[in-house]
Amino acid sequence: MSAQFQDDAQLEASRVRIAPPPLYKVLLLNDDFTPMDFVVEVLQTFFFMDREKATRVMLQVHTQGRGVCGVYTKDVAATKVEQVQGFAKANQHPLQCVMEEN
């Protein structure tokens, strides 16, 4: 292998910049049936919030129609949405969880 080829390959590699992956917001949507305590439980269980922060987010969902639970990469956000939807369904609540690009 020539020295020139190695230098060119190293130079090209140093020019390539890897962009960070796009991030997605995970949101809870308000409904008229899911109890507030259940929403707080979801926020504590799946988003590792303390009770105070979970209560603030729950009130945001209640008053503004939606609240941000966290910002994650696409795969993690999709997993969180599935977990919350499954937990809500298993507990017979219509709570909706969605993700949108940040």
Side-chain angles (χ1 to χ4, degrees):
M1 197 182 231
S2 73
Q4 179 63 34
F5 180 73
Q6 288 177 339
D7 290 340
D8 289 344
Q10 288 175 348
L11 182 61
E12 185 63 31
S14 67
R15 286 186 197 159
V16 175
R17 300 257 183 219
I18 298 174
L23 297 176
Y24 292 79
K25 291 188 273 190
V26 176
L27 305 159
L28 288 180
L29 305 180
N30 189 40
D31 63 68
D32 294 332
F33 304 103
T34 305
M36 292 179 180
D37 288 340
F38 183 78
V39 175
V40 170
E41 180 184 351
V42 165
L43 292 166
Q44 289 179 302
T45 303
F46 296 102
F47 300 98
F48 308 108
M49 295 181 187
D50 60 34
R51 187 154 188 84
E52 182 180 330
K53 183 172 182 183
T55 301
R56 280 197 311 268
V57 173
M58 176 273 298
L59 289 172
Q60 182 182 22
V61 171
H62 182 68
T63 59
Q64 297 176 13
R66 61 192 232 160
V68 178
C69 304
V71 179
Y72 307 95
T73 59
K74 187 175 185 176
D75 291 342
V76 173
T79 300
K80 295 277 188 190
V81 168
E82 285 181 32
Q83 289 174 330
V84 171
Q85 298 272 63
F87 187 67
K89 186 175 181 178
N91 287 278
Q92 300 177 342
H93 294 297
L95 181 66
Q96 292 296 305
C97 186
V98 298
M99 60 189 252
E100 67 180 34
E101 196 162 356
N102 194 15

